[in-house]
Amino acid sequence: DPLVIDMLWADPKGSPGYGPSSRVPQVYTFGPDIVKNFVEANGLKYVIRSHETKTQGYQEGEHMCTVFSAPNYIDRVGNKAAVVVLTNRDGLLERKFKQFEHQPHPDVPSGAYAPGGILAP
C-alpha cells in the first residue's frame, strides 16, 4: 500500500514540495511547506518523527523534528542519540532535546542472546 509506505518511510527535505527520493525507490520526500499544510489541516502543533540518523541525534524545524535514539548507529555512524521532552507552558509547546553519547558494548559476540546463540536463555 503506497500510503503506508509513505507514512513509514518518507523523508523531509529542505526545499518545498513533494517528490521521489533519490535514496530509495518508492520512497518520497516532503518539504517544510507540506509539513506546515499537514499540521494546519489536522489541528496539530508539531510533528515528531524518527527513523532517520542525525549527527546530533535530532534535527528541528518550525513544525517538525526528527529524533533518533540509537547512538553510534550500527556501531559505525558516530552519531549522538536524542530524546525530546515536551512541556506545555501556558498553551505554548516547549521543546528541549537531551542528547546521549554511545557507550562501549560488552565483550559479547553479536547474536549471542538470539535463539541458538551461546548466551540464549
Side-chain angles (χ1 to χ4, degrees), residues 1 10 99 105 110 116 119:
D1 182 345
Q99 296 170 297
H105 289 283
S110 179
L119 297 173

Side-chain angles (χ1 to χ4, degrees), residues 19-38:
S21 169
S22 59
R23 186 174 64 89
V24 179
Q26 296 180 327
V27 170
Y28 280 72
T29 60
F30 54 90
D33 57 325
I34 304 299
V35 177
K36 183 177 187 279
N37 292 344
F38 176 82

Side-chain angles (χ1 to χ4, degrees), residues 89-109:
R89 298 269 187 231
D90 299 320
L92 297 175
L93 186 63
E94 179 183 277
R95 301 175 293 272
K96 289 189 179 177
F97 295 90
K98 183 169 173 100
Q99 296 170 297
F100 300 91
E101 299 285 344
H102 78 280
Q103 299 297 312
H105 289 283
D107 191 18
V108 175

Side-chain angles (χ1 to χ4, degrees), residues 53-120:
T53 308
K54 296 296 175 188
T55 303
Q56 295 301 312
Y58 72 95
Q59 183 174 7
E60 187 172 23
E62 184 178 355
H63 299 286
M64 182 184 73
C65 73
T66 298
V67 211
F68 196 75
S69 61
N72 195 28
Y73 186 57
I74 60 173
D75 292 330
R76 337 176 243 228
V77 176
N79 62 292
K80 291 181 180 178
V83 295
V84 61
V85 178
L86 304 174
T87 306
N88 182 345
R89 298 269 187 231
D90 299 320
L92 297 175
L93 186 63
E94 179 183 277
R95 301 175 293 272
K96 289 189 179 177
F97 295 90
K98 183 169 173 100
Q99 296 170 297
F100 300 91
E101 299 285 344
H102 78 280
Q103 299 297 312
H105 289 283
D107 191 18
V108 175
S110 179
Y113 293 100
I118 61 173
L119 297 173

Side-chain angles (χ1 to χ4, degrees), residues 1-10 18 30 38 49 51:
D1 182 345
L3 180 59
V4 172
I5 290 171
D6 220 19
M7 289 174 62
L8 292 173
W9 297 109
Y18 176 81
F30 54 90
F38 176 82
R49 65 179 294 276
H51 98 267

